[in-house]
Each structure stands twice: as structure tokens, then as C-alpha cells.
Amino acid sequence: MGILSQLSILHLLWAALVICQYEDYDFEDEYGGQPDHQLPYYFHPATRVEAPRSPLLVECAKECFCPPAFPLSMYCDHRKLKTIPNISSHVQQLYLQNNNIEAVPAGPFTNVTFVREINLSYNNIKFHMIDHGVFAKLSNLVQLHLQHNELEEFPFPLPSSLERLLLGFNRISRLPGNALEGLPNLTMLDLCNNLLDDSVFKEKPFSNMKNLMQLNLGNNKLQTMPPDLPSSLRHLSLENNSISHIPENYFKRLPQIIALRMSHNNLQNIPHNTFNLPNLLELHLGHNKLKQVFYIPRSLQHLYIEDNEIENINVTVMCPTLDPLNINQLTYIRVDQNKLTSPISSYAFFCFPLIRTIYYGEQNVTVNRPTQLRTPVFRRFLTPEEFQEAEDNHETLDQETEDDHGEENTYFHPYFH
């Protein structure tokens, strides 16, 4: 025990020495001043948080706003501008939407080298008022918004760096063969709500766009399916045209399609295996003249065939075989405004075990007199009490289902809405 006592005494003496060293430590010797003793910080509800300022002086056009928190952005939108102000060389995001701009001269872009996004939507720009090559020299431009203008032609040449191009809601009626040349990185092209007809396909404008993933040709004057589309496409929008026929095996060249919109056309008959696409998730064929259903791929989740002339839904045509190891993924069907007189066969629940909702709504069985099936909405996982309540409350249930349509419709890029 004597040895242990001595060791304990030595340990206490050593600890005291260490403490004394820290107490005698002079912060002034090393830092030239007294140590900071900060008081505890308490957040006050009225405290205003100020964004950190950029250490560099950022030039900004007097007509615009360049927030310190986003020193690379210049906001000139919603200011009733008639001309484009001079743009500083450092700007990467340029917002000029919702003005009265009619021309895009080269002058304001003289010193611009780093710009990545330009938004000129909702203006009055015409094609002949865009200086030739003004966009082509912007070698870092990735996204260009020119929708809701007065363009009569495709605004080429454009830089090869471009990835997203939005030209919807203009007056474009033709696509020269070289209009889309030199755009190897383009992944999204929106040409909706223009004046394009079948003649634009004669020069095969889309055939060399190897990376194009989203193409919107909705609300134009097309009567036939666009030929020679790139196999990279995943989202194709052709709604609100006058297309009456889909050639057999048309989609074999487009195996990566995820979402297809062809509502509001003149389709009357769909060849049996037209949509045999392994990745298709969403299919819109509402507001056509279809009389029969068709085969749907196992991958499909949402099917919209409302407002057609279908009198009977043959589940065997839609699902010719059962495979317990590779079940159909369909969860939602919309079939209102057809000519159905009875619900879909219960065999559908063997073919589509994941089905959650079948929206029957009103049916056009008789002219000018819509009728309603006994069950306007079928929901898969309702208890008997909930099912009875739903039948007793058609109006509320219909309203809820209409709201569901917006939630279900999420596969397309927001710009396509």
C-alpha cells in the first residue's frame, strides 16, 4: 500500500503542475492581445438577417436588379423594358421576361462570355429583329427561353452548348434543314403552340439530335406522326393536333419512351402492339375517336382514354397473358366520357393487381344525355363502409377524383404544362 500511496501523491502533484501551466498561459505572448470572451448569443425575433455581400463590386444595369446573394444573376423582368440593357461580363443568369422587348441586337451582349441562361419569354420579339449569330457566340449558354413571343422562324444559329430550348407559343411555321444542326447537347425542345405542319419533316430536322430526351410538338397543325425521331426520346408530346393514324411498329424506334401524350387528336384505331414499349409509364389518349382498347405494356402505370367512343373494355386485349413474376404495374385508369354501360370486368384485377382507381365519371351512352354508372369511381382499397359512403356521395367523390388527375399527371417536365 505504501507504494500505491506514493504513486497517488506523485499523480496529484503532476496534475497541479499542469493546471498551473494553463492558468499562467499568456495569450498576449502568442496573439498580441487578450483572448476574446464572447457572451452567449440569443436570437431575437425582430432580428433582420442580411445576405452576405460579395467582396467584389458587381456591375449592374440601372434598369435591373443584381441581388448581393446572387451576384451572378441579373433580374430585368417585369419592368416594361423596350430594349435590352447592357449586360455585364460576369452575368450567368439573365432574366428579361415579361417586358415589351421587340429586338435582340448584338450590342448589349458584346462583353458577355459566361452567361448560361437567358429568359426572354413573354416579349414581342420577331425573328428578323434578332441579330444574326447573337446567341451563337455565347459558348456557355445552356438554357434559352423564347416562348410567348412573335417568332415566325426558328432562331438559328445557336451555340453547341445549348441543352434546353423553349420556343412554345410563337408563330413558327417551318424548320429549315440546318436549323437544328450543331446542337449535339440539346436534351429538351419545346415547340408547342406554333404553326408547324407535316411539311417541316421533309428535311428530317430531328434525325441527328442524338441526346434529345423531351420533345413537345403539341398544339400545332400535324396530321401524321413525325418521322425520324431520335431513339433517345423519353417524353413525347403531340396533343392537340389532327393526327388520325399511328403507323404499325412506329414506336420500335423509340424504346426509351416514358411518357406519351396524344390526347385531342383524331385517332380512331390503334394497332394491337403499338405501345409495346418496355419503359412506358404514362399514356394520354383522351379526346380522340377510339372505339376499342389495345395492348398496354407491363410497365404502364397511368392510362388516360377519356372522351372516346369505347363501348366495351376488353381486358384480354389489354392483358393477353398473366405472369406472376412480372406483373402489370397499372394503378390508374380514366375512362369517363365514353359509351360504357357496365364496369370493367373483374378479370382486370387479376391482370392489374396494383390497380387503385378506375374513374368512370359520366358516360355518353345517349346523345346529349350523359349517364353515370352505378359506381362512378372504383377505388381498390375501400372498406365496405367506405365503399357504401362513396356510392351515396357521388358528387364529392367525383370532385376528389378530378383533383387527383392533377396529382397523377407528373411525369412531364413542368415546361410542358
Side-chain angles (χ1 to χ4, degrees), residues 245-308:
H245 175 65
I246 301 176
E248 195 168 354
N249 300 323
Y250 177 84
F251 288 104
K252 278 192 173 181
R253 297 168 296 178
L254 304 172
Q256 298 189 60
I257 289 286
I258 292 174
L260 175 64
R261 286 186 173 179
M262 292 193 65
S263 57
H264 293 277
N265 276 282
N266 295 323
L267 295 173
Q268 297 183 31
N269 182 45
I270 304 290
H272 178 66
N273 285 320
T274 297
F275 301 118
N276 189 12
L277 296 163
N279 299 301
L280 188 64
L281 299 177
E282 181 176 318
L283 178 59
H284 291 254
L285 291 171
H287 307 278
N288 278 282
K289 299 176 181 178
L290 300 176
K291 292 179 170 58
Q292 296 179 347
V293 292
F294 40 83
Y295 171 80
I296 64 173
R298 296 184 185 277
S299 59
L300 192 69
Q301 295 181 8
H302 300 159
L303 175 62
Y304 299 83
I305 49 175
E306 75 279 5
D307 195 15
N308 278 283

Side-chain angles (χ1 to χ4, degrees), residues 157-175:
L158 295 168
S160 60
S161 58
L162 202 62
E163 295 178 10
R164 294 176 292 278
L165 176 60
L166 293 97
L167 297 170
F169 298 89
N170 278 285
R171 300 175 184 174
I172 300 171
S173 59
R174 65 189 191 93
L175 291 176

Side-chain angles (χ1 to χ4, degrees), residues 356-377:
R356 289 202 314 265
T357 304
I358 302 174
Y359 180 60
Y360 293 104
E362 292 183 337
Q363 298 294 318
N364 299 324
V365 178
T366 56
V367 179
N368 298 324
R369 187 180 177 184
T371 58
Q372 204 169 62
L373 298 184
R374 183 171 179 271
T375 305
V377 182

